[in-house]
Amino acid sequence: MAGEDTDVFFRARNRTLDVFPEEKELQWKSPFYFVQGADPQFGLMKAWSVGDCENGGDEWEEEMKLTQQAVQAINKLSPKPKFFVLCGDLIHAMPGTQWRSNQIKDLKEILKAVDKEIPLVFVSGNHDLGNVPTSETIAEYCQTWGDDYFSFWVGGVLFLVLNSQLYADSSKCLNLKQAQDQWLDTQLAIAKQKMCKHAIVFQHIPLFLKNVSEEDDYFNLSKPVRQELVDKFTKAGIKAVFSGHYHRNAGGLCKDLDMVVSSAIGCQLGEDTHGLRVVVVTAEKIVHRYYSLNKLSNEGIEKELMDMIKKE
């Protein structure tokens, strides 16, 4: 790993984040919050505008400005969020394509400005790994951004980061899918034993967009995979799954599981605006609100959420 990158980002290694030492984070202390973003996807806005999502992403100045605005908004927040998680499609250029290295370089340069006291949590998306990932594309991602799946604890809450592309199409890396499955079962057993105050999942592709029985779509996981994961998550007591990929806000409930789909920092495909989601974790519940970048930059977090964070 290049020394410069290692100094800038806390990366997931050995399936965890060392910035949150487990022995210090296992116990619930008090309410806290984190910020979720998704799909900065440098290059998509140009590609979408010209109608060529395969080859058209040769400009990403607009995404750079939006990501800089997101970073500035997060840095102004007080108290500071526990972390900032980016739920995949960090860039638009697929593995092995023309603009990839420059998009990665520019995104890293902007993310270096995130307050050093706010760790970054990276989640892999289909554009980061390829729609049909291979051991090589996953290895490249891990070298660039850290492990493709891992867990970490913050204040008694267990967070699981998944590589959802292994659930979308693992035909070229079945052994890696099996390894994640085994790892996930172990993590869910910990959650089920109620050793945590809450358990929360991050992944790029949503389980579903509105309800668990909806038809298969580019933007959700297939019904058999979806049902298997929903069953596992609900049995283990997972409270929420946060995702991106849809470039619109969506989501719904399945039993006690909150499927949260957040729109993009970058290209919008619906009526939402470029934004971030603020997620407050209290002893009793998980509350989240989506903010436009402008609103979060200019007004910060509303009093109702701030009061929940400040409660002892």
Side-chain angles (χ1 to χ4, degrees):
M1 180 64 60
E4 180 187 13
D5 285 346
T6 305
D7 294 338
V8 171
F9 301 123
F10 294 105
R11 283 184 174 77
R13 294 282 182 242
N14 301 314
R15 305 298 175 203
T16 192
L17 273 175
D18 289 341
V19 68
F20 295 115
E22 190 170 312
E23 64 275 11
K24 293 183 179 178
E25 297 289 347
L26 284 173
Q27 300 303 315
W28 174 260
K29 299 180 182 71
S30 61
F32 64 87
Y33 80 103
F34 61 87
V35 177
Q36 181 216 7
D39 302 274
Q41 205 161 340
F42 283 19
L44 177 59
M45 292 176 82
K46 167 71 181 296
W48 189 260
S49 70
V50 300
D52 183 2
C53 285
E54 295 298 318
N55 307 300
D58 62 341
E59 294 176 15
W60 48 92
E61 285 186 19
E62 194 62 33
E63 288 98 333
M64 288 176 69
K65 290 176 186 173
L66 290 163
T67 307
Q68 285 171 332
Q69 186 182 3
V71 169
Q72 290 163 2
I74 290 166
N75 285 347
K76 284 166 62 176
L77 296 174
S78 179
K80 298 181 195 302
K82 286 287 188 179
F83 58 87
F84 172 31
V85 56
L86 274 169
C87 279
D89 279 3
L90 307 174
I91 58 168
H92 181 63
M94 291 280 192
T97 60
Q98 185 175 7
W99 314 109
R100 187 171 176 88
S101 60
N102 286 335
Q103 289 174 3
I104 289 172
K105 176 175 172 288
D106 286 347
L107 177 58
K108 283 186 174 180
E109 194 60 38
I110 290 168
L111 293 178
K112 284 179 186 177
V114 175
D115 188 311
K116 297 299 180 285
E117 293 182 37
I118 305 171
L120 283 155
V121 179
F122 297 111
V123 182
S124 61
N126 57 304
H127 281 262
D128 306 311
L129 302 171
N131 285 323
V132 186
T134 66
S135 58
E136 290 79 15
T137 64
I138 291 174
E140 183 219 340
Y141 172 87
C142 293
Q143 180 72 13
T144 305
W145 300 107
D147 286 348
D148 58 323
Y149 62 91
F150 55 95
S151 64
F152 62 99
W153 290 80
V154 176
V157 177
L158 176 61
F159 292 93
L160 306 179
V161 173
L162 298 183
N163 176 348
S164 58
Q165 213 53 35
L166 293 175
Y167 297 118
D169 189 339
S170 60
S171 58
K172 292 187 177 177
C173 52
L174 281 172
N175 59 321
L176 299 181
K177 158 78 161 53
Q178 290 164 354
Q180 178 173 251
D181 284 344
Q182 291 171 358
W183 172 89
L184 177 60
D185 287 345
T186 301
Q187 298 297 314
L188 293 176
I190 293 170
K192 191 173 183 179
Q193 291 161 15
K194 305 298 182 192
M195 293 167 64
C196 51
K197 180 63 74 173
H198 304 293
I200 294 171
V201 170
F202 298 123
Q203 59 188 59
H204 178 61
I205 302 177
L207 299 167
F208 55 88
L209 299 174
K210 293 180 180 175
N211 66 75
V212 73
S213 59
E214 70 195 22
E215 293 304 312
D216 293 356
D217 188 279
Y218 171 78
F219 290 109
N220 60 21
L221 291 176
S222 68
K223 278 186 177 180
V225 173
R226 179 195 318 164
Q227 197 59 58
E228 180 184 353
L229 287 172
V230 166
D231 289 346
K232 282 186 176 185
F233 290 168
T234 53
K235 283 176 185 171
I238 299 290
K239 292 288 183 68
V241 177
F242 290 90
S243 70
H245 190 52
Y246 192 43
H247 294 257
R248 286 154 282 203
N249 287 311
L253 285 169
C254 179
K255 300 178 182 174
D256 293 327
L257 177 70
D258 189 6
M259 179 66 246
V260 185
V261 185
S262 292
S263 197
I265 293 171
C267 187
Q268 301 297 310
L269 301 184
E271 301 302 314
D272 297 297
T273 187
H274 314 281
L276 296 164
R277 190 172 295 275
V278 172
V279 186
V280 176
V281 183
T282 74
E284 295 80 28
K285 58 189 176 180
I286 297 157
V287 179
H288 49 87
R289 303 263 166 84
Y290 186 84
Y291 289 83
S292 72
L293 294 182
N294 287 338
K295 184 175 176 66
L296 194 62
S297 297
N298 297 328
E299 301 175 27
I301 301 171
E302 61 208 275
K303 184 177 184 299
E304 180 190 353
L305 292 189
M306 289 302 296
D307 288 345
M308 295 173 86
I309 297 164
K310 291 173 182 173
K311 268 187 188 174
E312 289 302 323

